Amino acid sequence: MSIKKECIQGTQHGRSRDLFCAMRRTRKNTVEVIIKGGECHINSAAFNVEGLLRNLGHYFDFNTLNDDNFKETPKRVVKAYREILSGYTEDPRKILESNFPVDDYDQMIVVKDIDFYSVCAHHMLPFFGKIAVGYIPSKRGRVVGLSKLARVCQTFAKRFQIQERLVRQICDAINESLEPVGAGVVAYDVKHLCMLMRGVKQHTSTMTTSCLVGEFKEIQSVKSEFLRLAGI
């Protein structure tokens, strides 16, 4: 068995950005093979995707190995997911470190219609929609540029997610980094392919979730203003 094949068949742990992968096989002696570079991770994951396709082909009685359209599919799938799930390689709090003094501004700031795409942790199918983010700076707090709020939303979205956790994580990051008087996040007009393509097949249904902290949660008038400005 070649070194490359041993690495492909081994169980790989860690992120795809790691600089090495290792395979350990124990018989009479322990044999450890380490191959540097990210290509090993791609090959290992692609090997597993190929196995999935082979099993699906067996179940549905079609042969992917004889179809040229599937020739590079395993590697394409792995590379696509490396991009789709790239949020795991980013730290949202580092994004929010680039902020500015408030200059006595104490009114609500709202950014809405932030597009996002994510992957359902339950079925590994996409869900997508829009996000609105709002916060009120405190006297000792800070403000960030509009692009930073959009990047934070995308960073958390580019992970395996559920919609309820997505809004909470975004809201917590803003609240911890900027120390506002209050903050809120709403994900709206969200379509889940796990409900559109399978199961109940509700093609027109959408989902809305929110997370509110501070005055956004405690004061009804502040909550109402946020939802009005967000167009919810």
Side-chain angles (χ1 to χ4, degrees), residues 189-229:
D189 293 342
V190 181
K191 289 183 175 290
H192 291 251
L193 292 191
C194 58
M195 191 170 74
L196 272 67
M197 295 177 64
R198 57 167 297 281
V200 293
K201 297 184 176 66
Q202 293 296 303
H203 298 162
T204 59
S205 297
T206 60
M207 183 175 176
T208 301
T209 53
S210 66
C211 181
L212 308 172
V213 296
E215 290 189 359
F216 279 59
K217 183 176 182 179
E218 298 163 1
I219 303 176
Q220 181 60 42
S221 60
V222 175
K223 177 181 179 180
S224 298
E225 180 184 359
F226 169 56
L227 295 177
R228 177 179 60 81
L229 292 175

mmCIF file of all heavy atoms in Angstrom, residues 189-229:
data_model
loop_
_atom_site.group_PDB
_atom_site.id
_atom_site.type_symbol
_atom_site.label_atom_id
_atom_site.label_comp_id
_atom_site.label_asym_id
_atom_site.label_seq_id
_atom_site.Cartn_x
_atom_site.Cartn_y
_atom_site.Cartn_z
ATOM 1 N N ASP A 189 -36.925 35.913 6.490
ATOM 2 C CA ASP A 189 -37.105 35.422 5.116
ATOM 3 C C ASP A 189 -36.160 34.259 4.824
ATOM 4 O O ASP A 189 -35.597 34.149 3.724
ATOM 5 C CB ASP A 189 -36.870 36.541 4.091
ATOM 6 C CG ASP A 189 -37.926 37.627 4.148
ATOM 7 O OD1 ASP A 189 -39.007 37.371 4.710
ATOM 8 O OD2 ASP A 189 -37.668 38.748 3.643
ATOM 9 N N VAL A 190 -35.987 33.394 5.811
ATOM 10 C CA VAL A 190 -35.012 32.301 5.690
ATOM 11 C C VAL A 190 -35.697 31.046 5.150
ATOM 12 O O VAL A 190 -36.712 30.597 5.688
ATOM 13 C CB VAL A 190 -34.355 32.003 7.050
ATOM 14 C CG1 VAL A 190 -33.328 30.885 6.897
ATOM 15 C CG2 VAL A 190 -33.695 33.262 7.612
ATOM 16 N N LYS A 191 -35.130 30.507 4.094
ATOM 17 C CA LYS A 191 -35.632 29.278 3.490
ATOM 18 C C LYS A 191 -34.664 28.132 3.793
ATOM 19 O O LYS A 191 -33.452 28.288 3.624
ATOM 20 C CB LYS A 191 -35.801 29.440 1.979
ATOM 21 C CG LYS A 191 -36.957 30.354 1.581
ATOM 22 C CD LYS A 191 -37.103 30.410 0.071
ATOM 23 C CE LYS A 191 -38.315 31.221 -0.335
ATOM 24 N NZ LYS A 191 -39.584 30.531 0.005
ATOM 25 N N HIS A 192 -35.222 27.016 4.236
ATOM 26 C CA HIS A 192 -34.445 25.831 4.568
ATOM 27 C C HIS A 192 -34.722 24.746 3.539
ATOM 28 O O HIS A 192 -35.863 24.284 3.411
ATOM 29 C CB HIS A 192 -34.813 25.317 5.964
ATOM 30 C CG HIS A 192 -34.369 26.216 7.075
ATOM 31 N ND1 HIS A 192 -33.346 25.879 7.937
ATOM 32 C CD2 HIS A 192 -34.798 27.437 7.466
ATOM 33 C CE1 HIS A 192 -33.174 26.848 8.825
ATOM 34 N NE2 HIS A 192 -34.045 27.800 8.558
ATOM 35 N N LEU A 193 -33.684 24.337 2.804
ATOM 36 C CA LEU A 193 -33.887 23.306 1.787
ATOM 37 C C LEU A 193 -34.265 21.962 2.390
ATOM 38 O O LEU A 193 -34.855 21.129 1.714
ATOM 39 C CB LEU A 193 -32.639 23.165 0.921
ATOM 40 C CG LEU A 193 -32.307 24.353 0.009
ATOM 41 C CD1 LEU A 193 -31.209 23.973 -0.976
ATOM 42 C CD2 LEU A 193 -33.530 24.851 -0.738
ATOM 43 N N CYS A 194 -33.941 21.759 3.678
ATOM 44 C CA CYS A 194 -34.349 20.503 4.311
ATOM 45 C C CYS A 194 -35.866 20.433 4.467
ATOM 46 O O CYS A 194 -36.418 19.344 4.664
ATOM 47 C CB CYS A 194 -33.667 20.341 5.670
ATOM 48 S SG CYS A 194 -33.995 21.668 6.836
ATOM 49 N N MET A 195 -36.549 21.584 4.378
ATOM 50 C CA MET A 195 -38.005 21.585 4.433
ATOM 51 C C MET A 195 -38.614 21.800 3.053
ATOM 52 O O MET A 195 -39.760 21.434 2.809
ATOM 53 C CB MET A 195 -38.511 22.670 5.391
ATOM 54 C CG MET A 195 -39.996 22.564 5.700
ATOM 55 S SD MET A 195 -40.560 23.632 7.043
ATOM 56 C CE MET A 195 -40.530 25.221 6.225
ATOM 57 N N LEU A 196 -37.850 22.392 2.130
ATOM 58 C CA LEU A 196 -38.359 22.617 0.781
ATOM 59 C C LEU A 196 -38.214 21.385 -0.099
ATOM 60 O O LEU A 196 -39.112 21.051 -0.872
ATOM 61 C CB LEU A 196 -37.620 23.788 0.118
ATOM 62 C CG LEU A 196 -38.165 25.195 0.349
ATOM 63 C CD1 LEU A 196 -38.006 25.601 1.813
ATOM 64 C CD2 LEU A 196 -37.469 26.207 -0.539
ATOM 65 N N MET A 197 -37.063 20.686 0.011
ATOM 66 C CA MET A 197 -36.763 19.577 -0.888
ATOM 67 C C MET A 197 -37.240 18.229 -0.370
ATOM 68 O O MET A 197 -37.403 17.294 -1.144
ATOM 69 C CB MET A 197 -35.242 19.491 -1.122
ATOM 70 C CG MET A 197 -34.650 20.674 -1.840
ATOM 71 S SD MET A 197 -32.848 20.518 -1.997
ATOM 72 C CE MET A 197 -32.715 19.067 -3.048
ATOM 73 N N ARG A 198 -37.423 18.114 0.935
ATOM 74 C CA ARG A 198 -37.736 16.826 1.539
ATOM 75 C C ARG A 198 -38.815 17.028 2.603
ATOM 76 O O ARG A 198 -39.246 18.143 2.866
ATOM 77 C CB ARG A 198 -36.478 16.211 2.166
ATOM 78 C CG ARG A 198 -35.826 17.122 3.196
ATOM 79 C CD ARG A 198 -34.790 16.438 4.038
ATOM 80 N NE ARG A 198 -35.366 15.361 4.836
ATOM 81 C CZ ARG A 198 -36.040 15.567 5.971
ATOM 82 N NH1 ARG A 198 -36.260 16.793 6.429
ATOM 83 N NH2 ARG A 198 -36.513 14.540 6.636
ATOM 84 N N GLY A 199 -39.213 15.928 3.218
ATOM 85 C CA GLY A 199 -40.167 16.032 4.325
ATOM 86 C C GLY A 199 -41.484 16.649 3.909
ATOM 87 O O GLY A 199 -42.127 16.192 2.967
ATOM 88 N N VAL A 200 -41.871 17.737 4.575
ATOM 89 C CA VAL A 200 -43.187 18.349 4.350
ATOM 90 C C VAL A 200 -43.254 19.140 3.048
ATOM 91 O O VAL A 200 -44.329 19.487 2.582
ATOM 92 C CB VAL A 200 -43.582 19.262 5.527
ATOM 93 C CG1 VAL A 200 -43.809 18.443 6.773
ATOM 94 C CG2 VAL A 200 -42.523 20.329 5.767
ATOM 95 N N LYS A 201 -42.076 19.488 2.458
ATOM 96 C CA LYS A 201 -42.009 20.178 1.158
ATOM 97 C C LYS A 201 -42.865 21.447 1.134
ATOM 98 O O LYS A 201 -43.701 21.636 0.249
ATOM 99 C CB LYS A 201 -42.392 19.230 0.027
ATOM 100 C CG LYS A 201 -41.460 18.036 -0.147
ATOM 101 C CD LYS A 201 -41.866 17.197 -1.349
ATOM 102 C CE LYS A 201 -40.880 16.050 -1.575
ATOM 103 N NZ LYS A 201 -40.902 15.065 -0.484
ATOM 104 N N GLN A 202 -42.644 22.316 2.085
ATOM 105 C CA GLN A 202 -43.340 23.595 2.145
ATOM 106 C C GLN A 202 -42.517 24.658 1.413
ATOM 107 O O GLN A 202 -41.616 25.271 1.966
ATOM 108 C CB GLN A 202 -43.564 24.003 3.600
ATOM 109 C CG GLN A 202 -44.530 23.108 4.355
ATOM 110 C CD GLN A 202 -45.923 23.169 3.761
ATOM 111 O OE1 GLN A 202 -46.528 24.249 3.653
ATOM 112 N NE2 GLN A 202 -46.455 22.017 3.366
ATOM 113 N N HIS A 203 -42.856 24.894 0.138
ATOM 114 C CA HIS A 203 -42.020 25.713 -0.730
ATOM 115 C C HIS A 203 -42.113 27.206 -0.447
ATOM 116 O O HIS A 203 -41.230 27.970 -0.852
ATOM 117 C CB HIS A 203 -42.372 25.441 -2.195
ATOM 118 C CG HIS A 203 -42.116 24.027 -2.596
ATOM 119 N ND1 HIS A 203 -42.673 23.459 -3.720
ATOM 120 C CD2 HIS A 203 -41.363 23.051 -2.022
ATOM 121 C CE1 HIS A 203 -42.284 22.197 -3.834
ATOM 122 N NE2 HIS A 203 -41.496 21.930 -2.813
ATOM 123 N N THR A 204 -43.162 27.654 0.201
ATOM 124 C CA THR A 204 -43.314 29.092 0.437
ATOM 125 C C THR A 204 -43.060 29.487 1.892
ATOM 126 O O THR A 204 -43.097 30.666 2.221
ATOM 127 C CB THR A 204 -44.730 29.554 0.043
ATOM 128 O OG1 THR A 204 -45.709 28.838 0.817
ATOM 129 C CG2 THR A 204 -44.985 29.313 -1.439
ATOM 130 N N SER A 205 -42.801 28.528 2.742
ATOM 131 C CA SER A 205 -42.596 28.820 4.163
ATOM 132 C C SER A 205 -41.216 29.438 4.401
ATOM 133 O O SER A 205 -40.231 29.057 3.781
ATOM 134 C CB SER A 205 -42.731 27.545 4.999
ATOM 135 O OG SER A 205 -44.028 27.017 4.913
ATOM 136 N N THR A 206 -41.175 30.400 5.311
ATOM 137 C CA THR A 206 -39.913 31.003 5.728
ATOM 138 C C THR A 206 -39.854 30.997 7.256
ATOM 139 O O THR A 206 -40.871 30.834 7.929
ATOM 140 C CB THR A 206 -39.764 32.442 5.224
ATOM 141 O OG1 THR A 206 -40.829 33.247 5.744
ATOM 142 C CG2 THR A 206 -39.777 32.491 3.707
ATOM 143 N N MET A 207 -38.668 31.208 7.778
ATOM 144 C CA MET A 207 -38.462 31.167 9.225
ATOM 145 C C MET A 207 -37.810 32.466 9.684
ATOM 146 O O MET A 207 -36.959 33.031 8.999
ATOM 147 C CB MET A 207 -37.579 29.972 9.586
ATOM 148 C CG MET A 207 -37.344 29.777 11.080
ATOM 149 S SD MET A 207 -36.408 28.247 11.386
ATOM 150 C CE MET A 207 -36.193 28.333 13.160
ATOM 151 N N THR A 208 -38.225 32.940 10.862
ATOM 152 C CA THR A 208 -37.655 34.140 11.473
ATOM 153 C C THR A 208 -37.215 33.811 12.889
ATOM 154 O O THR A 208 -37.962 33.187 13.645
ATOM 155 C CB THR A 208 -38.675 35.290 11.516
ATOM 156 O OG1 THR A 208 -39.096 35.603 10.185
ATOM 157 C CG2 THR A 208 -38.063 36.531 12.150
ATOM 158 N N THR A 209 -35.983 34.201 13.230
ATOM 159 C CA THR A 209 -35.494 34.036 14.600
ATOM 160 C C THR A 209 -34.825 35.330 15.043
ATOM 161 O O THR A 209 -34.325 36.102 14.223
ATOM 162 C CB THR A 209 -34.466 32.882 14.704
ATOM 163 O OG1 THR A 209 -33.431 33.093 13.735
ATOM 164 C CG2 THR A 209 -35.121 31.544 14.468
ATOM 165 N N SER A 210 -34.803 35.550 16.350
ATOM 166 C CA SER A 210 -34.192 36.776 16.866
ATOM 167 C C SER A 210 -33.456 36.489 18.169
ATOM 168 O O SER A 210 -33.735 35.511 18.863
ATOM 169 C CB SER A 210 -35.263 37.848 17.109
ATOM 170 O OG SER A 210 -36.147 37.450 18.144
ATOM 171 N N CYS A 211 -32.516 37.375 18.457
ATOM 172 C CA CYS A 211 -31.828 37.361 19.745
ATOM 173 C C CYS A 211 -31.673 38.814 20.176
ATOM 174 O O CYS A 211 -31.124 39.633 19.431
ATOM 175 C CB CYS A 211 -30.467 36.683 19.636
ATOM 176 S SG CYS A 211 -29.585 36.608 21.223
ATOM 177 N N LEU A 212 -32.160 39.140 21.368
ATOM 178 C CA LEU A 212 -32.127 40.500 21.892
ATOM 179 C C LEU A 212 -31.463 40.516 23.258
ATOM 180 O O LEU A 212 -31.707 39.624 24.076
ATOM 181 C CB LEU A 212 -33.546 41.073 22.007
ATOM 182 C CG LEU A 212 -34.434 40.997 20.751
ATOM 183 C CD1 LEU A 212 -35.849 41.434 21.090
ATOM 184 C CD2 LEU A 212 -33.858 41.847 19.626
ATOM 185 N N VAL A 213 -30.636 41.518 23.507
ATOM 186 C CA VAL A 213 -29.993 41.657 24.813
ATOM 187 C C VAL A 213 -30.054 43.114 25.246
ATOM 188 O O VAL A 213 -30.211 44.030 24.433
ATOM 189 C CB VAL A 213 -28.518 41.183 24.784
ATOM 190 C CG1 VAL A 213 -28.427 39.699 24.486
ATOM 191 C CG2 VAL A 213 -27.707 41.980 23.783
ATOM 192 N N GLY A 214 -29.913 43.332 26.553
ATOM 193 C CA GLY A 214 -29.906 44.689 27.089
ATOM 194 C C GLY A 214 -31.237 45.389 26.871
ATOM 195 O O GLY A 214 -32.305 44.789 27.014
ATOM 196 N N GLU A 215 -31.191 46.663 26.511
ATOM 197 C CA GLU A 215 -32.412 47.454 26.338
ATOM 198 C C GLU A 215 -33.288 46.935 25.204
ATOM 199 O O GLU A 215 -34.497 47.136 25.209
ATOM 200 C CB GLU A 215 -32.050 48.918 26.093
ATOM 201 C CG GLU A 215 -31.482 49.619 27.322
ATOM 202 C CD GLU A 215 -31.333 51.113 27.122
ATOM 203 O OE1 GLU A 215 -31.658 51.613 26.014
ATOM 204 O OE2 GLU A 215 -30.884 51.795 28.063
ATOM 205 N N PHE A 216 -32.678 46.251 24.245
ATOM 206 C CA PHE A 216 -33.474 45.691 23.149
ATOM 207 C C PHE A 216 -34.437 44.631 23.675
ATOM 208 O O PHE A 216 -35.515 44.427 23.115
ATOM 209 C CB PHE A 216 -32.555 45.062 22.090
ATOM 210 C CG PHE A 216 -31.959 46.048 21.136
ATOM 211 C CD1 PHE A 216 -31.160 47.089 21.598
ATOM 212 C CD2 PHE A 216 -32.175 45.944 19.779
ATOM 213 C CE1 PHE A 216 -30.586 47.999 20.720
ATOM 214 C CE2 PHE A 216 -31.607 46.844 18.892
ATOM 215 C CZ PHE A 216 -30.811 47.876 19.362
ATOM 216 N N LYS A 217 -34.059 43.968 24.733
ATOM 217 C CA LYS A 217 -34.906 42.929 25.323
ATOM 218 C C LYS A 217 -35.772 43.477 26.454
ATOM 219 O O LYS A 217 -36.914 43.042 26.636
ATOM 220 C CB LYS A 217 -34.023 41.791 25.857
ATOM 221 C CG LYS A 217 -34.780 40.613 26.424
ATOM 222 C CD LYS A 217 -33.824 39.500 26.849
ATOM 223 C CE LYS A 217 -34.580 38.285 27.366
ATOM 224 N NZ LYS A 217 -33.648 37.190 27.754
ATOM 225 N N GLU A 218 -35.236 44.427 27.202
ATOM 226 C CA GLU A 218 -35.898 44.884 28.426
ATOM 227 C C GLU A 218 -36.907 46.003 28.206
ATOM 228 O O GLU A 218 -37.848 46.152 29.001
ATOM 229 C CB GLU A 218 -34.822 45.351 29.418
ATOM 230 C CG GLU A 218 -33.863 44.231 29.837
ATOM 231 C CD GLU A 218 -32.597 44.764 30.463
ATOM 232 O OE1 GLU A 218 -32.465 46.013 30.584
ATOM 233 O OE2 GLU A 218 -31.726 43.953 30.828
ATOM 234 N N ILE A 219 -36.741 46.807 27.159
ATOM 235 C CA ILE A 219 -37.604 47.966 26.934
ATOM 236 C C ILE A 219 -38.386 47.765 25.636
ATOM 237 O O ILE A 219 -37.804 47.697 24.551
ATOM 238 C CB ILE A 219 -36.782 49.271 26.876
ATOM 239 C CG1 ILE A 219 -35.975 49.444 28.163
ATOM 240 C CG2 ILE A 219 -37.695 50.475 26.644
ATOM 241 C CD1 ILE A 219 -35.066 50.643 28.159
ATOM 242 N N GLN A 220 -39.698 47.697 25.748
ATOM 243 C CA GLN A 220 -40.544 47.380 24.603
ATOM 244 C C GLN A 220 -40.413 48.411 23.494
ATOM 245 O O GLN A 220 -40.402 48.070 22.309
ATOM 246 C CB GLN A 220 -42.000 47.269 25.047
ATOM 247 C CG GLN A 220 -42.974 46.905 23.938
ATOM 248 C CD GLN A 220 -42.655 45.559 23.300
ATOM 249 O OE1 GLN A 220 -42.330 44.611 23.991
ATOM 250 N NE2 GLN A 220 -42.738 45.478 21.975
ATOM 251 N N SER A 221 -40.309 49.698 23.845
ATOM 252 C CA SER A 221 -40.216 50.739 22.826
ATOM 253 C C SER A 221 -38.925 50.611 22.011
ATOM 254 O O SER A 221 -38.903 50.883 20.807
ATOM 255 C CB SER A 221 -40.303 52.128 23.464
ATOM 256 O OG SER A 221 -39.239 52.316 24.389
ATOM 257 N N VAL A 222 -37.834 50.208 22.661
ATOM 258 C CA VAL A 222 -36.563 50.012 21.961
ATOM 259 C C VAL A 222 -36.668 48.808 21.026
ATOM 260 O O VAL A 222 -36.219 48.853 19.870
ATOM 261 C CB VAL A 222 -35.405 49.815 22.966
ATOM 262 C CG1 VAL A 222 -34.112 49.487 22.235
ATOM 263 C CG2 VAL A 222 -35.233 51.061 23.817
ATOM 264 N N LYS A 223 -37.257 47.751 21.519
ATOM 265 C CA LYS A 223 -37.473 46.560 20.689
ATOM 266 C C LYS A 223 -38.320 46.896 19.467
ATOM 267 O O LYS A 223 -37.987 46.501 18.340
ATOM 268 C CB LYS A 223 -38.139 45.465 21.513
ATOM 269 C CG LYS A 223 -38.488 44.203 20.730
ATOM 270 C CD LYS A 223 -39.159 43.180 21.629
ATOM 271 C CE LYS A 223 -39.542 41.930 20.866
ATOM 272 N NZ LYS A 223 -40.200 40.925 21.748
ATOM 273 N N SER A 224 -39.383 47.658 19.673
ATOM 274 C CA SER A 224 -40.281 48.024 18.571
ATOM 275 C C SER A 224 -39.568 48.895 17.545
ATOM 276 O O SER A 224 -39.756 48.740 16.332
ATOM 277 C CB SER A 224 -41.508 48.754 19.120
ATOM 278 O OG SER A 224 -42.251 47.916 19.993
ATOM 279 N N GLU A 225 -38.731 49.826 18.026
ATOM 280 C CA GLU A 225 -37.976 50.680 17.106
ATOM 281 C C GLU A 225 -37.020 49.855 16.257
ATOM 282 O O GLU A 225 -36.900 50.071 15.045
ATOM 283 C CB GLU A 225 -37.200 51.744 17.882
ATOM 284 C CG GLU A 225 -36.398 52.678 16.982
ATOM 285 C CD GLU A 225 -35.549 53.663 17.756
ATOM 286 O OE1 GLU A 225 -35.595 53.643 18.999
ATOM 287 O OE2 GLU A 225 -34.817 54.446 17.113
ATOM 288 N N PHE A 226 -36.350 48.913 16.879
ATOM 289 C CA PHE A 226 -35.419 48.066 16.141
ATOM 290 C C PHE A 226 -36.135 47.268 15.055
ATOM 291 O O PHE A 226 -35.715 47.236 13.879
ATOM 292 C CB PHE A 226 -34.702 47.121 17.097
ATOM 293 C CG PHE A 226 -33.921 46.029 16.408
ATOM 294 C CD1 PHE A 226 -32.950 46.326 15.461
ATOM 295 C CD2 PHE A 226 -34.162 44.680 16.721
ATOM 296 C CE1 PHE A 226 -32.222 45.318 14.833
ATOM 297 C CE2 PHE A 226 -33.448 43.683 16.097
ATOM 298 C CZ PHE A 226 -32.480 43.985 15.140
ATOM 299 N N LEU A 227 -37.225 46.638 15.410
ATOM 300 C CA LEU A 227 -37.961 45.824 14.451
ATOM 301 C C LEU A 227 -38.549 46.699 13.323
ATOM 302 O O LEU A 227 -38.602 46.282 12.171
ATOM 303 C CB LEU A 227 -39.072 45.056 15.146
ATOM 304 C CG LEU A 227 -38.605 44.005 16.168
ATOM 305 C CD1 LEU A 227 -39.799 43.353 16.857
ATOM 306 C CD2 LEU A 227 -37.723 42.958 15.501
ATOM 307 N N ARG A 228 -38.942 47.938 13.655
ATOM 308 C CA ARG A 228 -39.467 48.851 12.637
ATOM 309 C C ARG A 228 -38.356 49.271 11.669
ATOM 310 O O ARG A 228 -38.543 49.242 10.446
ATOM 311 C CB ARG A 228 -40.090 50.084 13.300
ATOM 312 C CG ARG A 228 -40.600 51.129 12.312
ATOM 313 C CD ARG A 228 -41.232 52.307 13.047
ATOM 314 N NE ARG A 228 -40.279 52.961 13.923
ATOM 315 C CZ ARG A 228 -39.371 53.852 13.515
ATOM 316 N NH1 ARG A 228 -39.290 54.175 12.226
ATOM 317 N NH2 ARG A 228 -38.571 54.422 14.354
ATOM 318 N N LEU A 229 -37.208 49.663 12.208
ATOM 319 C CA LEU A 229 -36.092 50.086 11.353
ATOM 320 C C LEU A 229 -35.571 48.914 10.514
ATOM 321 O O LEU A 229 -35.094 49.105 9.396
ATOM 322 C CB LEU A 229 -34.962 50.662 12.208
ATOM 323 C CG LEU A 229 -35.257 51.991 12.900
ATOM 324 C CD1 LEU A 229 -34.099 52.377 13.810
ATOM 325 C CD2 LEU A 229 -35.545 53.096 11.890
#
